């Protein structure tokens, strides 16, 4: 019985620790900038990023070229990834606004591998995007993971992205990306 109680307490502590330290749309705004996804991603954007496992070890680096178009209803993002190991990948996102004009903007989106509908919200200089996706892994397989994706508009057309990646509620790592408008 004692071992069972220790196991329950350990699992509770792990769940509590993995829930700590993440951003919130309620966090105080550090700038008066307004992120507007359809304006920011209309045209070409270059991004540089890496995946760090939950222990902080860099596991993968990449560059991604994003060609975006906004037709007044749908923001289409064609993402071409080039990984440091020489592999490539393309993902095409189709996003559409779901919130009322003039208010904080909510979005929905789809892409190959995304399970169901991705949902997001813009608030001030921040965007939060949540989705579940089957990611390709070496060997031709896929791994279904959850993303809690955060973006912040910075100076001079730069955007910082920190995405928390988990599976079954357990943090696997994070993806850090730095976007620059071209």
């Amino acid at each position: 019985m004692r071992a069972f109680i220790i196991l329950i307490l350990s699992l509770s502590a792990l769940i509590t620790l993995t829930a700590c330290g993440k951003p919130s749309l309620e966090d105080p705004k550090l700038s008066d900038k307004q992120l507007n996804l359809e304006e920011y991603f209309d045209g070409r954007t270059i991004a540089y990023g890496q995946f760090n496992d939950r222990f902080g070890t860099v596991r993968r680096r990449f560059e991604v070229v994003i060609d975006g178009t906004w037709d007044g209803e749908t923001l289409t993002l064609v993402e071409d990834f080039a990984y440091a190991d020489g592999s490539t990948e393309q993902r095409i996102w189709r996003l559409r606004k779901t919130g009322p004009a003039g208010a904080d903007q909510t979005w929905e989106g789809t892409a190959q591998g995304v399970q169901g509908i991705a949902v997001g919200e813009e608030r001030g200089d921040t965007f939060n995007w949540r989705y579940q996706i089957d990611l390709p892994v070496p060997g031709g397989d896929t791994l279904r993971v959850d993303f809690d994706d955060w973006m912040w508009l910075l100076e001079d057309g730069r955007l910082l992205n920190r995405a928390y990646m988990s599976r079954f509620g357990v943090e696997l790592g994070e993806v850090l990306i730095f976007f620059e408008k071209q």
Side-chain angles (χ1 to χ4, degrees), residues 60 83 89 91 133-138 140-143:
R60 203 160 196 206
Y83 294 94
E89 176 185 358
R91 183 172 298 121
I133 188 169
D134 291 336
L135 287 179
V137 293
D141 224 353
T142 62
L143 179 67

Side-chain angles (χ1 to χ4, degrees), residues 7 47 54 59 61 63 66 86-87 97 104 112 123 136 139 142 154 158 160 165-166:
L7 175 64
R54 66 179 156 198
R59 295 293 179 182
R61 286 203 171 121
E63 178 180 314
I66 304 161
S87 63
K97 279 188 175 184
D104 293 332
Q112 182 179 358
R123 209 180 279 179
T142 62
L154 304 176
R158 293 182 176 96
L160 177 64
M165 193 170 75
S166 62

Side-chain angles (χ1 to χ4, degrees), residues 117-130:
I117 302 290
V119 294
E121 184 175 348
E122 268 180 279
R123 209 180 279 179
D125 63 356
T126 306
F127 179 62
N128 178 226
W129 189 234
R130 294 173 187 252

Side-chain angles (χ1 to χ4, degrees), residues 15-45:
I15 290 169
T16 300
L17 286 174
T18 59
C20 294
K22 290 189 179 177
S24 166
L25 288 171
E26 306 304 323
D27 289 347
K29 298 301 170 216
L30 300 177
S31 81
D32 58 356
K33 296 185 181 323
Q34 294 292 313
L35 177 58
N36 183 313
L37 287 180
E38 67 272 29
E39 286 179 14
Y40 186 85
F41 284 107
D42 191 27
R44 178 161 280 194
T45 307

Side-chain angles (χ1 to χ4, degrees), residues 87-104:
S87 63
T88 61
E89 176 185 358
Q90 184 179 72
R91 183 172 298 121
I92 301 174
W93 281 96
R94 289 180 178 76
L95 291 75
R96 109 185 143 75
K97 279 188 175 184
T98 57
D104 293 332

